[in-house]
Amino acid sequence: MAARFLAFLLLMVLAVPASAQDAGVSDQDRAAIRDVIGKQVEAFRHDDGDAAFGLASPSIQHMFGSSETFMDMVRQGYQPVYRPRVFDFAEIVELNGAPTQKVHVIGPDGRPVDAFYPMTRLPDGTWRIDGCFLQAPDEHQA
């Protein structure tokens, strides 16, 4: 399970971004995407695992199986988004065909990272988070 998630993240890192305009992301979608991510970060701040897990895509929910397992993974591997000092939305890019929200984050240790959130639209039109990967701002994508 963790190996599949890490392989997915590696593929995301190797993808070449395109502009949000090319991804066909409307202003309404952009606002909805930011709202979902913002709600998840707030859920993390309040240790509300059920709310945070509920904003993940069905594939992420299936991968982790429970909000407890999901929150354990976030606490261990995603401290910058679990307890951000700064969380500043940037552009939406397209990675591997998915609209992906870039966020400039300063984690609890004071180090800056860029968080990338690939998104998926559910059949009812709502957006869910389909993963997250962190990249130091000085690292370059291939």
Side-chain angles (χ1 to χ4, degrees):
M1 172 171 68
R4 281 189 348 182
F5 188 68
L6 291 174
F8 171 77
L9 293 180
L10 178 61
L11 287 174
M12 296 301 291
V13 169
L14 297 176
V16 177
S19 73
Q21 306 300 27
D22 294 341
V25 178
S26 70
D27 289 341
Q28 184 178 8
D29 286 333
R30 198 174 279 106
I33 286 168
R34 290 178 179 181
D35 184 55
V36 168
I37 294 168
K39 285 179 180 176
Q40 189 178 63
V41 170
E42 278 304 306
F44 290 154
R45 286 183 175 142
H46 298 294
D47 286 313
D48 186 346
D50 290 338
F53 192 58
L55 295 165
S57 70
S59 63
I60 296 295
Q61 290 177 359
H62 178 74
M63 185 183 305
F64 291 97
S66 72
S67 62
E68 294 81 17
T69 303
F70 176 74
M71 288 298 287
D72 285 344
M73 177 274 303
V74 171
R75 283 185 200 101
Q76 292 174 23
Y78 290 84
Q79 277 291 310
V81 297
Y82 177 62
R83 292 291 190 258
R85 288 186 186 176
V86 174
F87 197 85
D88 186 29
F89 289 102
E91 68 272 14
I92 293 178
V93 297
E94 184 176 313
L95 297 176
N96 292 336
T100 302
Q101 177 68 62
K102 181 178 180 181
V103 182
H104 301 297
V105 180
I106 296 179
D109 60 2
R111 291 188 205 162
V113 298
D114 290 327
F116 292 86
Y117 288 87
M119 302 297 294
T120 189
R121 188 190 306 259
L122 299 182
D124 68 2
T126 59
W127 289 96
R128 292 294 178 263
I129 300 166
D130 202 31
C132 179
F133 69 90
L134 305 176
Q135 180 182 37
D138 57 349
E139 292 178 8
H140 297 285
Q141 293 183 355

